[in-house]
Amino acid sequence: MKIINILTHIPHDIVFEYSNPVKFKERFPLTEYLKIEKQPFWIGFFKLDWHNQWGRRIHDTENSIEVECWRPYGNKIDQIYERDVDGVLHRVFPSETREIKKIGHFLTSPMMLEALQKELMAEDVIIHFYGAHQSLSSWLLLKLKPLHTPVIIQQLGGAFSYFSFLKSGNPLRLIPYFREKRAFRYVDKYLTAAITEVAFCSKKLKKLNYQFFLNGIDFSL
């Protein structure tokens, strides 16, 4: 059994501002890095990220379960980079963000999609997304459908695009929402830390197996 934790957003732009990670590590010491000979010159693996904290705890608690942490890394890399961080394999993938005016930003990663397809063919996998409303999770779910493997989403921040529609009155804002709604058909468990979102799901997404779940890891469950 393998659990693949997918963080659904690229690192903050500050990662790309330094030609050497020393200054970054002075500010954020809990960072592993891998030097490369082209921009962005180094790849960061951040121990404070949720997907790493969760993955490391699972690895330490039950080491018979293989755990990997994946994330998109933007368009400044053109290949997959890997590093073992505290016994957990981290992989970062090239990705591309496109903006469609009045609708939003859409993040894709063909290399991550291909790697996930290979993993699903090779062994039993649980996919665990960190972040429901970044477009990468919906894009991957719709590309992989139908899925014959458990999918969990843990929502730590942000909101459904439906709320953007209510705020702006722009009906184009509903396009990402309906896209998410289709993708969530393939989600087995949806964990949200927002009471507002629980109320929304009870009205708009009644078939979604959702649960209020404060940020963190409850190992008694």
Side-chain angles (χ1 to χ4, degrees):
M1 173 63 68
K2 177 185 288 187
I3 300 174
I4 298 177
N5 299 314
I6 301 178
L7 199 62
T8 55
H9 59 83
I10 67 173
H12 191 277
D13 289 345
I14 193 173
V15 169
F16 305 117
E17 292 176 3
Y18 300 118
S19 60
N20 189 301
V22 172
K23 290 183 179 180
F24 184 94
K25 289 196 70 176
E26 289 174 356
R27 296 181 62 183
F28 304 98
L30 295 177
T31 305
E32 298 278 347
Y33 70 93
L34 182 70
K35 291 186 68 174
I36 59 177
E37 300 303 320
K38 55 185 176 181
Q39 196 179 16
F41 307 111
W42 60 282
I43 303 296
F45 305 95
F46 311 103
K47 294 186 179 184
L48 288 178
D49 280 338
W50 271 107
H51 71 322
N52 177 67
Q53 293 193 57
W54 190 87
R56 182 178 54 79
R57 287 292 301 273
I58 287 292
H59 172 77
D60 293 345
T61 304
E62 182 52 74
N63 58 22
S64 65
I65 299 176
E66 188 177 356
V67 182
E68 293 189 9
C69 292
W70 295 12
R71 84 174 304 170
Y73 209 82
N75 60 5
K76 294 187 178 182
I77 61 173
D78 56 10
Q79 68 180 73
I80 301 168
Y81 291 93
E82 300 181 353
R83 187 177 182 89
D84 184 283
V85 180
D86 297 333
V88 175
L89 179 66
H90 281 244
R91 307 178 76 188
V92 297
F93 297 79
S95 63
E96 187 73 36
T97 301
R98 296 180 182 177
E99 180 182 5
I100 301 178
K101 289 184 178 180
K102 298 183 179 181
I103 297 180
H105 294 82
F106 293 89
L107 176 65
T108 60
S109 176
M111 287 192 185
M112 185 182 289
L113 173 63
E114 183 180 358
L116 263 181
Q117 290 170 329
K118 290 179 180 178
E119 292 285 349
L120 293 175
M121 291 176 62
E123 58 186 315
D124 293 330
V125 171
I126 295 173
I127 301 174
H128 187 191
F129 288 104
Y130 282 87
H133 306 310
Q134 287 88 357
S135 55
L136 180 67
S137 49
S138 295
W139 180 77
L140 287 170
L141 287 169
L142 291 172
K143 286 288 186 180
L144 290 167
K145 70 174 187 180
L147 283 96
H148 302 290
T149 194
V151 176
I152 302 168
I153 289 184
Q154 188 169 356
Q155 174 56 13
L156 303 179
F160 283 95
S161 298
Y162 191 87
F163 292 93
S164 298
F165 158 68
L166 292 178
K167 185 176 180 180
S168 66
N170 178 8
L172 293 177
R173 292 286 186 179
L174 289 172
I175 293 175
Y177 164 65
F178 287 122
R179 188 166 172 263
E180 283 183 0
K181 197 172 181 179
R182 289 200 318 273
F184 287 175
R185 296 175 188 172
Y186 308 102
V187 174
D188 295 277
K189 192 71 175 180
Y190 184 88
L191 305 172
T192 176
I195 291 291
T196 304
E197 199 163 270
V198 170
F200 178 78
C201 291
S202 70
K203 295 177 181 178
K204 298 288 187 181
L205 295 165
K206 295 180 181 180
K207 294 183 179 180
L208 181 64
N209 183 13
Y210 60 89
Q211 178 184 334
F212 178 69
F213 187 80
L214 285 174
N215 292 356
I217 306 159
D218 185 347
F219 280 91
S220 67
L221 299 174

